Structure formats: structure tokens, C-alpha cells
Amino acid sequence: MKLVIISNRVPSPNADDQAGGLTVALRDALSESGGVWFGWNGEAEEQRGTTPDMVRRDNIEFATLPLSKQDLDGYYRGYANMVLWPLFHERLNIVEYREAFRASYASVNEYFAEGVTPLLDPDDLIWVQDYHLIPLGAELRKRGVSGSVGFFLHTPLPPYDVFRVLPNYTELLESFLAYDVVGMQTTIDVRHFADNMRHGLGANVDESTGTVELNGRRVRFGAFPIGIDVDKTAEIAHANRDTAEGRRLVEVHAGRKLVIGADRLDYTKGLVKRLEAFDRFLGAHEDEMANEMIYVQIAAPSRESVERYRAITRQLEAAAGRINGRKNRIGWTPLRLINRSIPRDALLGYFSLADVGLVTPLRDGMNLVAKEFLAAQTAEDPGVLVLSKLAGAADELSDAAVMVNPYDAEGVGEGLYRALTMPMEERRRLWEVGMDRLRRNTARIWRDRFLDALVEEDGKSARPEHPRPRARSRVLGRRGGSRSSSTTSAA
Ligand code: GDG
């Protein structure tokens, strides 16, 4: 029995620096258990491939295929990035549905199923990742795969009224039924899933057991909040406080308080609004804060080819120019915008040096930056997290951070001020609560909980090589997630 993870993109075995939560989390999740990681190699060629390229590094077998240029346009840039990504983040006004995108999405899911099926043994645990591959389970079943197949959604799952805007809504919902277990980040996503299944398909849904039944198929569903490797993150962060990159940053902030933001350049991360909030903050507190702090925002390009992402860069640069260019700010550059990806080690070092982490997505499945920022702090002098109520991480961290509504620029500005002026005792208290939460849902616990649920659902005896015997999946259904459902109302 082996673990087979299937995701849209598989990172190069040698590249440790790609920005992207899924990659970071899956690397952590697979590093111990080992297994196969199947998906796209990131290349777009004239033709699709026939058999996957196999590269082994440590105990992970990377099995990858290229996409064709047509696939890149229709499946990846089209259906995944222009339809499902905005839809799942409730940005209906920018959804650009086309029938050709839908067809390409279906076709790439078939291509992936064809490519991975020969690598599978009957007792494997197959774990499909994210919105790119929702129909993959059904394609595997068509090819005779009858064992355990699970699915995890890294983004939010939209409410019924939003999801049903999708022209092929019913078809997409039905494809969830091919899985044994469907996992989501938060209890809110779970509630939305149940509503969609009930109202969209007329399925029988039992939220107390986390079970949906339709046409003889039974699927378990639940919240499995994703996490990070807390100790490893802290170790790297602390070891990288004093690097060449870090020193340059220290010179820039030279004794001033440091506010940091680091996001993939994506409209869901709320960067334009965040700079607006920073401007409001300066407007309200400049007399006190002038020369006392700087804000460094890293915006790591990840899907540069999509026009919308280029537009955000232009907006951010213009906003940064306005903020820094005000004439009364001569000698003090309050904002430093870094439009490139920073090596992971240096990034975590920056987090550790920072006094405030500004994480204000407009909507986010989880948001690992929030978790990494907390893990990177030191107990003696912990920085403060300012966190959006609309990030999945708010489910676990609402009493470990200054919570803000990312649409309320003034409120975010005031949240930033509160964080910058917070007394040590309160900072320590928040940080301790945060660390406790992070340890309850590490990357490893996330993986174990999901695979336990998958094994249990399929009546299998054990999952592959997991060192720690654990209690069975308490996380399914309404009781899912790390907190009681009452705490989710903030998000
Ligand atoms: C999706 C969901 C969910 C950022 N800048 C740089 C860099 N990063 C790293 C961060 C973090 C990762 O990228 C971003 O993860 P997030 O979780 O914040 O966001 P998404 O990429 O949108 O991830 C999200 C996640 O999947 C997991 O389920 O939490 O909600 O949208 O690790 O540190 N990394 C490097 N340079 C940068 O400049 N090396």
C-alpha cells in the first residue's frame, strides 16, 4: 500500500522555493510518509506526454506530465484560473466561463487519469488535491480504480447561491460523489458543501456524521484544517534572522518597527486594499509613526501570464508611488514593495524579524503565511499578527491575532496601529494562544487525520507507514475543524 498524491502542479524535486501554500504543505505532508506525487511538471509543449517522467528524491517519487499549449489555455488559465478560482473566492464579477474551458478541464482530468492509472496498485491510498482536479476521482473510477480515493479542497467552497452560478454546476457537484472522503479547510466550507449537495443535487445529507448519500454512493465529508510544520518553520526562521538578505532589511528598517506582508500576487490576497489601509493608517497616525516604522510588502509573482495579475502589479506600484511620494515624507520611505519571490529561508527570517505580520486576504481557504508568521516569532519578543476575518485561518486564530475586515480600510489601519503599539504582555499572550493552535493542526496532523478518515471509510486496516498511532477521525462532520462551530461565526 502506498500513498499517491495527485495535484495540478508538482514542484521540481530540487526547487524548494516556490511560493504556494499547497506545495509547501504537501512537501511537509509527504516528507515522512513517502509516496508518489503525480501531476503537471509546469511545462507547456506542443503535444501532451504519453507516460509520466519519474524522478525519485528521498522517499518521494515525483511523476510528472507536461500539458499541451491548448491545455494551458483552456484548462489552466481558463477553467481553473478564470472560472473556478474567482468563483470559489466569491468574485462572481470576474468569472469568465466558456464552454471551451469546461471541455478542456474535463479533457485534462481524463489525461491525468490515463497517466496515473498505470502507477496504481489496488490497495493504494489516492489523495486528489484541489479545484483543478475535482472530476479526477470519477475518471479514475471509470478506469476501474475501486480503492480509496479522497479529495481535499484548498480554497473556500462557496455557498449554494454562489456555486450555482456555474453553468456546469450540477456536473461538477456530482463528481464529488466519486470520492470516499471529501475534505475542506473550515467548518464554513463544510456547511456550504452540505447545502450544495442537498439543494443542488437533492442528496441525503447527514451533517452530524458528515455523510452524503445519492444513487447508492456514500461520501464522507469534513473539515481538515491544513497546517505547517511548526518546529521546522521556527527553526528555519530563527536561523535566518542574520543573513545577508536579512541584514539588508535590518539596515532598511534601521531600528524602526517592521511590518511585513508576503503573498502570492493574487487578487484574493487583498493587496490593493491593504495598501489603501496603510495609507489610511499613515493619514491617521503619521505624526506619531513618522520614521518609527516601515512596511515591507513582498508580492511574489505566481501566475504572471494572466493579465489580471499584471494589472494588480500596476495598481500596487502606483499606490506605492503615491504613498512614498508625499512630500512630507522626504527622508522616510514608509513602504517598500518587493515584486519578486524571496527565497524561503530568507522569507521566514524576515517574518522572524518583523514586529507585525499583515495578512488581509479578501477570502482565503486557509492562509499559511499567517501560520508561518506566528511560528517564526520568538517567545521573548513576539510580533503581532493582523489577520483578515475572511481567511480560513481565522477559524483557529481569531483569539491569537488582531482581527480585521479586509474591506474596511480604516479598520485595517486601526488594527495595524493597535498591533504596532501593543504592550509586551498582550503580545506574548496572543502569541502563546497562536502557537497552541498551530500545534493542534500541523501539516502532519492534517495528513494523518485525512488519511485516517479515508482508511476508516474504506474499511482498510492501516494507512502506509505512519509513525504515530492516532485516534480515529474525530474531525468529520459538524464537529470537524479544530474549534467548536461557534467560533466560526467570525469568518
Ligand atoms: C492555497 C490556498 C491555503 C509567499 N511569498 C513567497 C513565498 N510565499 C509562500 C508562503 C506560503 C505560501 O507561499 C502561500 O500560501 P498561502 O496558504 O498563504 O496561499 P496560497 O498559495 O493561495 O495557497 C490557501 C493553501 O493553498 C494551503 O491549503 O492556505 O488558502 O489559497 O507558504 O510562505 N515563498 C517564497 N517566496 C516568496 O516570496 N519562497
Side-chain angles (χ1 to χ4, degrees), residues 16-25 85 89 130-131 152-156 185 226 228 262-266 268-269 298-303 340-345 347-348 351 359 363-370 372 392 446:
D16 288 330
D17 279 343
Q18 254 150 355
L22 183 144
T23 305
V24 170
W85 179 262
H89 290 86
D130 227 1
Y131 62 98
F152 184 79
L153 184 69
H154 291 256
T155 66
Q185 302 270 27
I226 201 165
I228 59 169
D263 304 74
R264 274 193 316 101
L265 185 60
D266 191 294
T268 61
K269 304 296 180 186
I298 296 155
S302 64
R303 300 171 188 171
R340 64 186 160 87
S341 186
I342 301 285
R344 182 159 180 78
D345 293 2
L347 182 72
L348 295 177
F351 287 172
V359 180
R363 193 81 183 88
D364 218 329
M366 175 57 67
N367 195 297
L368 295 183
V369 171
E372 291 165 351
W446 169 70

Side-chain angles (χ1 to χ4, degrees), residues 175-246:
S175 37
F176 283 112
L177 293 166
Y179 295 101
D180 298 300
V181 177
V182 172
M184 285 147 284
Q185 302 270 27
T186 69
T187 47
I188 295 179
D189 304 312
V190 167
R191 199 168 66 221
H192 292 164
F193 182 78
D195 282 351
N196 276 292
M197 284 293 167
R198 191 179 287 123
H199 304 304
L201 294 183
N204 258 330
V205 180
D206 182 344
E207 280 171 89
S208 64
T209 56
T211 316
V212 51
E213 287 183 347
L214 188 71
N215 303 331
R217 281 287 311 158
R218 193 177 90 128
V219 181
R220 299 291 298 273
F221 63 94
F224 301 82
I226 201 165
I228 59 169
D229 183 332
V230 182
D231 294 326
K232 195 172 96 191
T233 306
E235 192 188 309
I236 300 173
H238 299 163
N240 283 279
R241 286 168 69 90
D242 190 21
T243 58
E245 287 247 21

Side-chain angles (χ1 to χ4, degrees), residues 58 82 165 178 201 206 252 265 274 372 452 458:
D58 303 328
M82 287 157 70
V165 163
L201 294 183
D206 182 344
V252 172
L265 185 60
R274 197 181 304 171
E372 291 165 351
D452 277 349
D458 223 48

